[in-house]
Amino acid sequence: MLARAYLSFVDGDMDEAAMSLGAVTGYQPDVPWASAPWFGDERFLGAVTPAAVAEATMRINDYDRDLDTDTVRECLAPWFQAIEAVCDRHADPDAMARMAILLRVCGRTDASFALCDQADAVRRVPFTEVVRAGTWRHIGNRAETAAAFRRALALDPANWSLHLDLADLAAEKGDFAEAAALATRGEKLEPDDVTMRAAAAAYRARSTGSVADLNTLTELTPKVPEPYRQTLIDYAYAHGTQDISRFDVRESGAVSKAGPGCPPRPSIQAR
């Protein structure tokens, strides 16, 4: 892939060069791959598209490496400079929001917020608020996380996933009536999504003690990915009246009784 990145640059395919180097960087982020002279060349920075740089930054994050270290930040410095150069040349809000995720996972939260603000100055889009919410969550500010999700929902009221994001946050702070109301609205928008249905059932069961919702949750949990599946079981069971034996522990694992603050579903963590 490293050779492919350079040959793509030589051939004038700057987008492929960026994305290939992003894949290499993600695999070994503690190696300064982007220090190659061509990566800082004006021929590259002046032609690569924001979409390609955004995709490259996502590839850097694909391997689930720890990017929040001084060594990695030093190795990724050329990427940070490329993000700034490309966004100044061609501001694309969706691409900028995706780039802001890399800044967040590298521990550069102020820069991530600043890039989101820069994207908003061009055009407000829901995804920028979703990324901003992820950054607030990363630093532990639940109130600002919820506020960002609500702004995203105001921009995209039919987005069922945002209803679920807000429901999860309400559950974390112990407001299961609000969590149930939000999840139910999301379920009406997307009645075929298993995770949405399971969450709505869990939050209603916790809020009201509904046996019907607990039965629905029991039916759906084997199809819900971990760790979110266990989180929903914990919430529903913690009401105190449910019989946890109805859940197949071969599928769901032992009950942790973690309660509010359980890990979010994978889609939130990925943002």
Side-chain angles (χ1 to χ4, degrees), residues 55-74:
E55 175 59 27
T57 63
M58 301 302 285
R59 293 185 184 187
I60 293 173
N61 199 30
D62 271 350
Y63 294 89
D64 200 27
R65 305 284 199 255
D66 182 6
L67 304 181
D68 190 2
T69 71
D70 290 339
T71 297
V72 171
R73 277 189 289 272
E74 183 177 352

Side-chain angles (χ1 to χ4, degrees), residues 60-247:
I60 293 173
N61 199 30
D62 271 350
Y63 294 89
D64 200 27
R65 305 284 199 255
D66 182 6
L67 304 181
D68 190 2
T69 71
D70 290 339
T71 297
V72 171
R73 277 189 289 272
E74 183 177 352
C75 291
L76 295 183
W79 283 100
F80 303 148
Q81 294 163 8
I83 288 172
E84 183 176 352
V86 170
C87 291
D88 286 345
R89 173 172 56 81
H90 182 182
D92 178 334
D94 286 296
M96 293 162 78
R98 293 170 71 195
M99 297 177 208
I101 296 173
L102 177 66
L103 299 177
R104 175 215 302 161
V105 299
C106 290
R108 302 186 72 221
T109 53
D110 287 345
S112 181
F113 283 132
L115 191 55
C116 287
D117 292 344
Q118 187 179 344
D120 277 345
V122 178
R123 186 177 73 258
R124 291 190 66 207
V125 296
F127 186 57
T128 304
E129 291 292 0
V130 170
V131 173
R132 188 180 278 116
T135 305
W136 281 118
R137 187 180 191 109
H138 179 75
I139 61 179
N141 192 320
R142 188 178 295 161
E144 290 291 351
T145 301
F149 276 135
R150 289 192 181 281
R151 290 192 297 270
L153 188 60
L155 293 169
D156 186 8
N159 189 316
W160 63 269
S161 185
L162 290 172
H163 284 85
L164 183 51
D165 290 330
L166 285 164
D168 290 339
L169 286 171
E172 286 183 23
K173 68 178 182 179
D175 189 346
F176 288 97
E178 176 70 5
L182 285 161
T184 297
R185 288 198 288 272
E187 185 181 28
K188 289 179 180 178
L189 291 167
E190 184 48 79
D192 296 326
D193 185 85
V194 171
T195 300
M196 182 74 258
R197 291 175 57 205
Y203 295 149
R204 287 193 297 264
R206 176 63 183 271
S207 178
T208 67
S210 167
V211 174
D213 282 315
L214 194 64
N215 288 337
T216 298
L217 179 62
T218 305
E219 175 188 347
L220 295 175
T221 46
K223 303 174 185 177
V224 178
E226 290 286 13
Y228 192 58
R229 169 172 57 192
Q230 188 62 51
T231 300
L232 294 179
I233 293 172
D234 289 345
Y235 281 143
Y237 178 64
H239 188 268
T241 60
Q242 293 85 352
D243 178 9
I244 194 62
S245 66
R246 68 175 62 210
F247 294 104

